[in-house]
Amino acid sequence: MRKTFLWATVAFMLIPLYVLTVNAFKGQQDILADPFGLGGLTLEPLGRALTNPQFNVVKGYAVTLLFVVAVNVLSVVLAAPAAYVIARSPKRRFRVLMLFFLAGTFIPGQVLVIPVVYVLKTLGLMGTIRGFVLFETVLTLPFSIFLYAGYIATIPAVLDQAAAVDGASRLRTFWQIVFPLMRPAVATMVILNTFSVWNDFVNPQIILGPGSGLYTVTTGVYAAVSQYSTDYTVVFPTLLLAIAPLLVFFVFMQRHIISGLTAGATKG
Amino acid sequence: MTLTREAPPAVPEAPALPKTRRGDGWANTIMVAPATVLYTVMLIVPVGLALYLSLTDWDGFSADPAFVGAANYLDLLDDPELRRAALVTLLVAAAGTAGLNLLGLGFALLVNGASKANTFFRIVLFYPHVLSALVVGFLWSAILGTNGAVNNLVTKWGGEVLPFLSDPAWATVTMIGVLVWAGFGVNVVLYLAGLQAVPHSLIEAARIDGATRWQVFRNVTLPALGPSVTVNIVLSLVTLLKTYDLVVSLTAGGPAGQTQTVAYLILWNSFHDARLGFGSAQSVLLMLVTAALAFVVTRLRRRGELAVHQ
């Protein structure tokens, strides 16, 4: 009974993915005649989606990957040392700093995007890759610092003190002794950041804008699909190309994602 | 979210070892300064700016927006578009929160316990969450649209086209359904985390005393899950109140603007109509409503949790 119900749910969850996959390999006539069937499979629509002038998928992957890597690197370099000081120093001012960062987890991104345009214009970073990467990085800081600080608190402070006695500076102690031990927390955060940067639509759409000619996977899908929403030979292959790398990444990383989410929810 | 709680406690100071050395203060500053400065410039300053811009008529281009006082807020009061969007948003948030949490808790109970099958179920329930909401919306609109997969079948079998996305009421329900489909896997995972904290001995004791499954759930599991329920409800509410991407791809706000959410309206007014001052006022409103609802839910739930423990 329980098993039957669960398998029925599995079917319901996976049907959209099935429809997406089979129809990405069919012509418009076959899609309309039998959207669930396997008749008339062809690679032609997928090939056309790959070379769509509206949205260069390969370039979209490259641009998005560049953003993912840049945001992840910057986020770790900025958040990890800050979290270390916050977690290790008993000083009141660092506890206040933690609350200051935590406040950021409550501010919805859409509320920020309008005034951020103003800030970026003032700084001369509007419409630039640098401006976009910096803003996306800042969006990751509150939760990263929260997660890292919680994790560092579980690493024995005796380790740092031993390094200090041996004459290592505080910076060196952190990067050489503590940081390598933070690998699980960093892995979780990198995975979560990867999904949020890859899937973000509002921020690249507004900060990079159509004028920059830079399409991420999401803004590219929007450009390609919203105009041809009735031509399913465009819609299905484009969507499949957009999610395929992410689904593969998810299948390999699901253990870390699910445990990371769980840790984030139960700590504190 | 539990994120409001205090920072993790500082590690107890070890005795006899040098706690602070000359230069540590500088090192601390160097380590926190870059994150703090960037965070302040790009997150705290913008929040302040949103407040300021909401009092101006900024169009997004002019260097010196004119100060218009409370005019934008007064415009908000009798803006029929916003009133409709606010209703849609609250409906989506309320019905969506109910759906996400009932399904989340229900399925968490069903797939609790370590087994290969349960791991598979969890992955399948969770996977839509990693897809971008934009893609999810396009996908479901290709399935449920007038010429979509489902309607093709229905008409082939001699039925009438079902207006999943073309009738205002249907479209709202469809949108809530898709949001729940795409999101409840997260709630399953969060409730599973909560279930690990339910004392196993208590459940066994209740079983031995002859309690039914429902009685055990009602009197042991659910009270122990109290904090998880709070986290899940607040998280769902905060997320659903800013529904945007899915509106863009599933309904594009249609039919006739009937499924526009507040977040959708904010960006539409700001960037399509070049009324960033007005959009900022709506943003401030959304931020205040979100904070107020999260606060009220947390307070109500805390009272509920206390009542259970007494």
Side-chain angles (χ1 to χ4, degrees):
Chain A
M1 177 62 195
R2 171 182 161 272
K3 276 276 147 77
T4 320
F5 177 68
L6 279 172
W7 284 108
T9 310
V10 165
F12 186 72
M13 296 306 288
L14 291 178
I15 281 173
L17 196 58
Y18 167 78
V19 171
L20 171 64
T21 312
V22 295
N23 288 322
F25 298 94
K26 298 198 307 205
Q28 182 85 346
Q29 285 312 315
D30 287 314
I31 295 173
L32 291 176
D34 186 7
F36 296 94
L38 290 164
L41 297 186
T42 159
L43 280 173
E44 199 255 319
L46 201 67
R48 260 192 304 133
L50 267 170
T51 53
N52 183 351
Q54 286 283 325
F55 165 43
N56 185 331
V57 182
V58 179
K59 197 179 161 203
Y61 282 166
V63 169
T64 311
L65 262 179
L66 169 80
F67 292 156
V68 164
V69 172
V71 170
N72 270 319
V73 170
L74 258 180
S75 174
V76 170
V77 168
L78 290 171
Y84 173 68
V85 173
I86 287 170
R88 282 291 193 253
S89 173
K91 290 210 175 81
R92 197 185 139 76
R93 72 176 95 114
F94 293 119
R95 224 169 289 169
V96 173
L97 191 64
M98 180 73 177
L99 292 177
F100 180 62
F101 277 114
L102 277 184
T105 55
F106 276 93
I107 296 158
Q110 277 130 356
V111 170
L112 287 174
V113 74
I114 300 171
V116 156
V117 169
Y118 197 98
V119 172
L120 290 175
K121 275 192 177 162
T122 310
L123 297 174
L125 292 171
M126 183 62 189
T128 67
I129 294 177
R130 273 177 304 157
F132 174 71
V133 167
L134 282 178
F135 180 55
E136 287 276 328
T137 304
V138 166
L139 292 179
T140 69
L141 290 182
F143 191 66
S144 304
I145 290 178
F146 169 75
L147 194 89
Y148 293 157
Y151 195 83
I152 292 169
T154 68
I155 300 174
V158 185
L159 285 176
D160 323 18
Q161 286 156 349
V165 170
D166 287 347
S169 73
R170 199 158 165 81
L171 276 167
R172 211 173 137 177
T173 304
F174 172 68
W175 286 112
Q176 292 200 339
I177 309 292
V178 179
F179 184 69
L181 296 172
M182 289 169 62
R183 202 174 297 155
V186 172
T188 297
M189 223 36 246
V190 164
I191 295 165
L192 292 178
N193 290 342
T194 299
F195 282 109
S196 67
V197 175
W198 186 286
N199 284 333
D200 195 0
F201 172 61
V202 179
N203 294 314
Q205 179 82 352
I206 286 168
I207 293 176
L208 294 173
S212 71
L214 277 175
Y215 287 105
T216 65
V217 173
T218 50
T219 59
V221 165
Y222 179 70
V225 171
S226 59
Q227 293 172 38
Y228 299 96
S229 58
T230 51
D231 184 352
Y232 292 130
T233 59
V234 173
V235 173
F236 285 116
T238 308
L239 294 182
L240 182 65
L241 287 173
I243 65 167
L246 210 58
L247 278 180
V248 172
F249 183 66
F250 170 66
V251 169
F252 283 107
M253 295 294 170
Q254 47 84 17
R255 189 192 303 264
H256 298 279
I257 299 165
I258 291 179
S259 69
L261 265 178
T262 312
T266 48
K267 256 181 209 149
Chain B
M1 294 198 343
T2 40
L3 307 190
T4 44
R5 310 252 170 98
E6 264 210 282
V11 171
E13 295 158 35
L17 282 166
K19 251 188 338 200
T20 47
R21 292 172 304 159
R22 208 176 291 260
D24 274 4
W26 272 111
N28 281 345
T29 309
I30 290 168
M31 291 170 98
V32 295
T36 311
V37 169
L38 208 59
Y39 171 80
T40 307
V41 170
M42 293 222 175
L43 206 136
I44 300 298
V45 168
V47 171
L49 259 176
L51 289 171
Y52 167 72
L53 289 173
S54 73
L55 304 173
T56 71
D57 68 350
W58 196 40
D59 56 8
F61 305 103
S62 55
D64 268 318
F67 193 82
V68 296
N72 288 326
Y73 289 94
L74 292 175
D75 286 351
L76 284 183
L77 288 179
D78 46 28
D79 184 313
E81 253 190 338
L82 177 72
R83 209 169 300 153
R84 192 177 59 197
L87 262 174
V88 171
T89 310
L90 288 176
L91 184 68
V92 165
T97 299
L100 287 173
N101 284 281
L102 288 175
L103 287 184
L105 181 55
F107 277 97
L109 292 168
L110 283 179
V111 301
N112 194 17
S115 75
K116 274 236 163 82
N118 278 345
T119 308
F120 173 75
F121 291 138
R122 289 175 203 172
I123 295 171
V124 171
L125 298 180
F126 188 87
Y127 93 89
H129 178 72
V130 306
L131 310 181
S132 81
L134 192 78
V135 169
V136 168
F138 281 132
L139 176 53
W140 276 102
S141 94
I143 293 174
L144 297 177
T146 311
N147 299 312
V150 169
N151 273 322
N152 267 323
L153 275 193
V154 170
T155 45
K156 210 162 73 177
W157 293 336
E160 295 252 326
V161 167
L162 297 169
F164 290 109
L165 298 170
S166 49
D167 173 84
W170 279 66
T172 311
V173 173
T174 304
M175 191 158 87
I176 295 168
V178 173
L179 282 166
V180 171
W181 176 85
F184 81 95
V186 179
N187 300 82
V188 171
V189 170
L190 296 181
Y191 278 118
L192 279 169
L195 281 173
Q196 285 170 10
V198 180
H200 207 71
S201 53
L202 222 57
I203 294 181
E204 267 173 24
R207 277 279 168 75
I208 290 167
D209 289 347
T212 63
R213 264 166 181 266
W214 169 251
Q215 283 172 327
V216 171
F217 173 72
R218 183 70 197 80
N219 298 310
V220 182
T221 313
L222 201 55
L225 277 179
S228 293
V229 175
T230 310
V231 170
N232 273 284
I233 291 181
V234 172
L235 209 61
S236 312
L237 261 181
V238 171
T239 312
L240 290 168
L241 281 170
K242 43 182 196 189
T243 304
Y244 172 77
D245 296 16
L246 192 80
V247 185
V248 170
S249 54
L250 186 69
T251 64
Q258 297 285 335
T259 56
Q260 289 180 346
T261 57
V262 173
Y264 187 88
L265 208 56
I266 289 175
L267 294 175
W268 182 265
N269 278 320
S270 301
F271 296 102
H272 184 265
D273 298 345
R275 295 172 72 195
L276 275 84
F278 187 57
S280 297
Q282 291 176 322
S283 300
V284 171
L285 188 74
L286 178 64
M287 191 158 48
L288 290 177
V289 169
T290 307
L293 276 177
F295 179 76
V296 168
V297 169
T298 314
R299 280 305 284 269
L300 285 177
R301 289 286 315 155
R302 192 164 296 162
R303 202 177 295 166
E305 282 167 33
L306 285 178
V308 165
H309 287 300
Q310 274 158 5

